[in-house]
């Protein structure tokens, strides 16, 4: 057992040669800071994809949905297809190796590999999560920021990779710093043509007229695994759900808003651009109880 776990995949994709033909599918490695090569395109160009998976009491949550999205992101970048079985085994092994803790996370990373080798690099990293209690129970302040793309960017300009979970999160982190400069906890991206997109690392869910509504997933945003499970919760509770185009104005009519994501789960939004937003803390608690109790 250990506080952090690193499993390095020997053959992240069956479409490319293994790093060592004689080695196992993955090996645990230490120390953490001696692993990645300086010429890895994941480091030098952000050319790769990742997933962050919540682990509760040792159980990775929404694992199959994360693995499926990992494959879709890789395909969008023309990366070799991740070997799902090898990744699943490495994730499960990393979870088993981690010190017992209520909430942890596993990060899977697949890069194009060291320049010139034609062999992707893959690793799984696991560690305890930070405490999200304040965000879940007191809410977060968000500001809206223009992402600079229209809502149809994924169709018009697929090379911009919107909707893929790439390693190029410099923009998302810059948006987070801009949110902090404006006194908020997070940012909510808008398209140039006025539609609500997603948070820097989360999807928006809105409660309005007794329904739960989230932005359509074909508008250059990630199809969230947490959002999908929030909708599963809603459907089990008899709450109607919908994927729609949502405008900034629609947010003002909402009964409650959340940013939902792995690790932080459902964080109720208490203000948008400084305007107070009503929260439904009872429903939030129910949603988070459901999310944390997921068996898979
Ligand atoms: N949107 C973005 C940009 C993200 O980075 C994330 C998660 O990191 C999400 C949405 C939410 O996805 P998930 O619920 O699968 O964690």
């Amino acid at each position: 057992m250990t506080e952090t776990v690193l499993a390095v995949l020997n053959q992240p994709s069956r479409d490319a040669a293994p790093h060592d033909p004689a080695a196992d599918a993955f090996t645990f490695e230490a120390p953490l800071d001696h692993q990645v090569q300086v010429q890895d395109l994941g480091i030098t160009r952000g050319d790769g994809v990742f997933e962050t998976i919540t682990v509760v009491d040792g159980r990775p949550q929404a694992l199959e949905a994360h693995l499926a999205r990992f494959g879709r992101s890789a395909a969008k970048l023309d990366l070799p297809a991740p070997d799902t079985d090898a990744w699943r085994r490495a994730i499960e092994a990393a979870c088993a190796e981690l010190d017992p803790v209520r909430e942890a996370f596993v990060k899977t990373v697949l890069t194009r590999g060291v320049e010139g080798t034609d062999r992707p690099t893959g690793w799984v990293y696991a560690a305890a999560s930070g405490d999200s209690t304040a965000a879940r129970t007191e809410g977060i302040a968000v500001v809206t920021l223009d992402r600079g793309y229209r809502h149809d960017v994924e169709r018009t300009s697929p090379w911009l990779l919107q909707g893929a979970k790439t390693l190029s999160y410099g923009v998302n982190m810059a948006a987070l710093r801009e949110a902090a400069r404006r006194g908020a906890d997070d940012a909510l991206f808008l398209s140039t043509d006025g539609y609500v997109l997603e948070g820097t690392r989360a999807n928006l869910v809105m409660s309005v007229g007794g329904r739960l509504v989230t932005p359509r997933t074909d508008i250059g945003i990630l199809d969230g695994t947490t959002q999908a499970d929030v909708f599963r919760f809603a459907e089990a509770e008899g709450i109607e759900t919908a994927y729609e185009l949502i405008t900034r104005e629609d947010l003002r009519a909402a009964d409650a808003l959340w940013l939902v994501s792995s690790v932080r789960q459902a964080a109720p939004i208490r203000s948008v651009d400084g305007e107070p937003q009503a929260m439904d803390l009872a429903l939030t608690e129910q949603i988070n109880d459901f999310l944390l109790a997921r068996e898979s």
Side-chain angles (χ1 to χ4, degrees):
M1 290 284 169
T2 172
E3 264 180 32
T4 56
V5 180
L6 175 67
V8 179
L9 279 88
N10 180 35
Q11 191 172 14
S13 169
R14 292 194 185 168
D15 299 342
H19 289 260
D20 175 355
D24 290 338
F26 61 87
T27 44
F28 289 122
E29 298 286 354
L32 299 179
D33 48 358
H34 288 174
Q35 298 309 321
V36 177
Q37 295 191 36
V38 292
Q39 280 175 299
D40 194 296
L41 291 162
I43 300 295
T44 57
R45 294 195 173 148
D47 196 357
V49 297
F50 77 104
E51 285 294 322
T52 304
I53 304 165
T54 307
V55 179
V56 177
D57 294 332
R59 291 190 313 271
Q61 302 197 312
L63 179 56
E64 296 310 315
H66 280 289
L67 287 170
R69 189 172 64 190
F70 198 44
R72 287 197 300 279
S73 293
K76 282 186 175 154
L77 270 71
D78 304 313
L79 283 166
D83 177 348
T84 305
D85 288 340
W87 285 91
R88 187 186 297 105
R89 277 193 286 134
I91 293 164
E92 284 169 352
C95 289
E97 199 65 19
L98 201 59
D99 282 344
V101 57
R102 170 80 175 140
E103 291 185 45
F105 69 91
V106 166
K107 206 167 177 146
T108 63
V109 179
L110 175 71
T111 82
R112 204 171 300 279
V114 173
E115 199 154 3
T117 63
D118 275 335
R119 246 179 348 193
T121 306
W123 71 84
V124 170
Y125 173 73
S129 297
D131 185 0
S132 296
T133 311
R136 290 176 195 158
T137 58
E138 293 161 27
I140 55 172
V142 305
V143 288
T144 54
L145 295 181
D146 184 348
R147 187 178 247 175
Y149 300 137
R150 281 198 321 260
H151 80 286
D152 55 356
V153 61
E154 208 173 318
R155 186 173 54 76
T156 61
S157 320
W159 50 87
L160 292 177
L161 301 177
Q162 294 303 294
K165 199 164 168 68
T166 76
L167 291 174
S168 308
Y169 260 45
V171 167
N172 303 47
M173 295 301 105
L176 204 53
R177 291 192 297 276
E178 180 60 24
R181 272 192 288 274
R182 299 185 189 192
D185 303 301
D186 212 333
L188 181 59
F189 288 121
L190 303 180
S191 67
T192 50
D193 48 353
Y195 296 105
V196 174
L197 299 172
E198 62 187 338
T200 55
R201 296 153 303 163
N203 292 104
L204 178 90
V205 173
M206 167 169 100
S207 166
V208 61
R211 298 186 310 148
L212 290 191
V213 184
T214 198
R216 261 170 34 192
T217 55
D218 62 343
I219 58 172
I221 64 174
L222 280 196
D223 47 345
T225 62
T226 315
Q227 172 274 315
D229 281 338
V230 170
F231 274 22
R232 225 162 37 83
F233 157 83
E235 281 146 22
E237 295 291 314
I239 301 170
E240 204 183 309
T241 60
Y243 293 84
E244 293 178 355
L245 287 177
I246 297 173
T247 64
R248 172 71 184 84
E249 204 44 44
D250 292 332
L251 297 184
R252 295 199 170 89
D255 301 315
L257 299 170
W258 296 266
L259 279 183
V260 305
S261 57
S262 304
V263 180
R264 192 168 63 183
Q265 314 282 11
I269 294 178
R270 63 176 146 74
S271 69
V272 181
D273 295 329
E275 296 168 27
Q277 167 65 51
M279 295 189 284
D280 187 336
L281 293 181
L283 184 55
T284 304
E285 196 178 338
Q286 269 184 286
I287 291 173
N288 280 323
D289 286 350
F290 173 87
L291 291 173
L292 291 168
R294 284 177 287 177
E295 288 295 327
S296 60

